[in-house]
């Protein structure tokens, strides 16, 4: 149903998705590295501060992306190359992805911190569960539920929430 137009629209959106992911990875890997250094020096209070600041920064930047998505998605879609045929699909995908941006960024931060807090198996499990969930939800939302481009974006947006649910066991236990 989406065909070439849907794939084209998705390709216009991928660069923005990469920026979201890269932002989370940058904060997460940098913060988690600093966290590990401080923990190795037995500076637990400072290490906890790095964790808190990394999460707060990630949520703040995620909210900025969210707001950007509310107000500027049409302009951004056109800037990325969308035309009258692809604009509705690109707009739908980008808007949905922007709405989930705090989750994408926070997920990447928590994956890095969990891995550096001596739980790499849980980080890997969260990533795998998230990825497979995205694949399964893509199929369900696009084909049986006929949700089109919104379904594809929703599946992608739900995947970091699923990952965060898995990662939460590290912080709750």
């Amino acid at each position: 149903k989406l065909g070439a137009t849907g794939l084209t629209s998705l390709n216009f959106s991928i660069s923005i998705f990469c920026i979201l992911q890269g932002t989370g990875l940058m904060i997460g890997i940098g913060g988690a590295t600093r966290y590990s250094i401080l923990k190795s020096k037995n500076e637990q209070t400072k290490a906890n501060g790095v964790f808190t600041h990394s999460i707060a920064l990630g949520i703040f930047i995620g909210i900025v992306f969210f707001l950007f998505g509310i107000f500027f998605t049409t302009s951004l879609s056109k800037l990325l190359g969308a035309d009258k045929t692809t604009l509705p699909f690109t707009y739908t995908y980008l808007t949905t992805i922007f709405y989930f941006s705090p989750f994408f960024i926070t997920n990447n931060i928590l994956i890095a911190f969990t891995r550096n807090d001596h739980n790499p198996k849980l980080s890997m499990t969260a990533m795998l569960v998230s990825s497979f969930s995205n694949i399964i939800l893509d199929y369900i939302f696009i084909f049986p539920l006929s949700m089109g481009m919104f379904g594809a974006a929703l599946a992608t947006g739900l995947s970091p929430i699923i990952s965060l649910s898995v990662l939460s066991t590290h912080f709750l236990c």
Side-chain angles (χ1 to χ4, degrees):
K1 191 173 186 178
L2 295 174
T5 304
L7 187 56
T8 302
S9 299
L10 177 64
N11 283 323
F12 289 144
S13 305
I14 290 297
S15 58
I16 301 305
F17 180 74
C18 290
I19 290 170
L20 284 172
Q21 294 290 80
T23 300
L25 289 169
M26 192 169 44
I27 297 167
I29 293 170
T33 301
R34 182 75 180 134
Y35 172 85
S36 294
I37 291 168
L38 290 169
K39 277 192 75 166
S40 71
K41 294 179 177 180
N42 290 322
E43 296 182 33
Q44 189 62 44
T45 303
K46 287 182 181 179
N48 290 341
V50 168
F51 174 75
T52 301
H53 287 109
S54 296
I55 294 295
L57 179 61
I59 291 170
F60 174 76
I61 293 173
I63 291 169
V64 169
F65 277 115
F66 174 87
L67 293 172
F68 187 86
I70 291 173
F71 298 109
F72 301 109
T73 303
T74 300
S75 300
L76 179 61
S77 297
K78 290 177 183 177
L79 180 68
L80 293 170
D83 59 18
K84 65 180 181 180
T85 305
T86 57
L87 182 60
F89 294 107
T90 306
Y91 176 85
T92 299
Y93 194 86
L94 276 179
T95 301
T96 307
I97 292 301
F98 275 129
Y99 289 169
F100 284 96
S101 56
F103 299 104
F104 287 117
I105 293 171
T106 305
N107 180 53
N108 281 324
I109 293 169
L110 287 183
I111 283 173
F113 273 92
T114 302
R115 181 178 47 247
N116 284 20
D117 199 28
H118 308 294
N119 206 342
K121 288 182 182 178
L122 183 62
S123 287
M124 181 184 68
T125 300
M127 290 173 61
L128 289 172
V129 169
S130 172
S131 296
F132 288 126
S133 296
N134 189 9
I135 293 167
I136 293 165
L137 291 174
D138 266 335
Y139 171 76
I140 292 169
F141 292 161
I142 294 171
F143 296 108
L145 297 179
S146 299
M147 295 172 71
M149 189 59 84
F150 173 71
L154 181 61
T156 303
L158 290 175
S159 66
I161 295 172
I162 293 167
S163 177
L164 288 167
S165 299
V166 173
L167 292 169
S168 69
T169 61
H170 177 75
F171 300 96
L172 298 175
C173 298

